[in-house]
Amino acid sequence: MSDVAIVMGSISDLKIMQNTIDVLNELGVSFETKVISAHRTPQEMLDFARSASNDFKVIIAGAGGAAHLPGMIASSTTLPVIGVPVPSRYLKGMDSLLSIVQMPAGVPVATVSIGEAGAKNAAILATKICALNNQTYQKSLSDYVEVMHDKSIESGKNLG
């Protein structure tokens, strides 16, 4: 059993979702990665969402374009779902963002920013959720924040 499921609508989303994978690896969080399309494999998506609570604590779903994957998963599970808007070719991810963030009442999807920063933040948010009952993850998050702090201080020293 892994704590986090990373689901993307298409393998082309991996370019952005790799940021989620990298941060979860850095934080030492257990995860599994899957490609499941709300439009091309709807039955597999529903099967995954309905059984996800047996295997995971949080789902991170990245999707571009119409971006129905996060909302459809959220409608079929009681687990928290974090949606990552993947930039699209023509609308630069605004279509994805609006599709994910504008959920009807009763079907929440925590939504992060478009693209790489959002993918990283999704990993951090998922870790924070899992850290509620996991001291190892709490320590990993504290260390991560300390490293960010130190890098920020160091970058300012190089200004001259």
Side-chain angles (χ1 to χ4, degrees):
M1 183 170 137
S2 297
D3 289 321
V4 178
I6 302 170
V7 184
M8 57 196 93
S10 170
I11 195 65
S12 64
D13 297 337
L14 182 58
K15 181 179 177 185
I16 295 300
M17 298 307 291
Q18 185 64 49
N19 293 280
T20 304
I21 293 166
D22 292 345
V23 171
L24 289 176
N25 277 326
E26 186 175 347
L27 293 169
V29 176
S30 63
F31 66 90
E32 292 180 27
T33 307
K34 302 175 180 300
V35 173
I36 304 173
S37 171
H39 301 109
R40 292 179 288 275
T41 59
Q43 189 58 54
E44 289 83 353
M45 180 212 54
L46 287 172
D47 293 344
F48 164 77
R50 289 177 179 151
S51 66
S53 62
N54 297 326
D55 299 314
F56 305 103
K57 294 178 181 155
V58 180
I59 299 169
I60 299 172
H68 291 120
L69 183 64
M72 290 301 297
I73 288 174
S75 73
S76 302
T77 186
T78 57
L79 292 177
V81 176
I82 303 168
V84 178
V86 174
S88 55
R89 179 197 264 175
Y90 300 108
L91 298 176
K92 311 287 189 245
M94 284 303 295
D95 50 345
S96 308
L97 174 65
L98 294 174
S99 293
I100 297 170
V101 79
Q102 287 296 111
M103 294 300 299
V107 188
V109 175
T111 310
V112 294
S113 61
I114 299 167
E116 293 175 6
K120 290 177 182 180
N121 281 339
I124 295 166
L125 180 56
T127 304
K128 287 183 174 189
I129 293 167
C130 293
L132 292 171
N133 296 312
N134 185 316
Q135 290 184 346
T136 301
Y137 292 166
Q138 290 172 16
K139 174 78 168 99
S140 292
L141 286 164
S142 294
D143 293 347
Y144 188 84
V145 168
E146 188 174 329
V147 168
M148 283 193 311
H149 170 271
D150 293 347
K151 283 182 181 178
S152 181
I153 296 295
E154 192 61 32
S155 71
K157 290 179 182 177
N158 296 326
L159 291 176

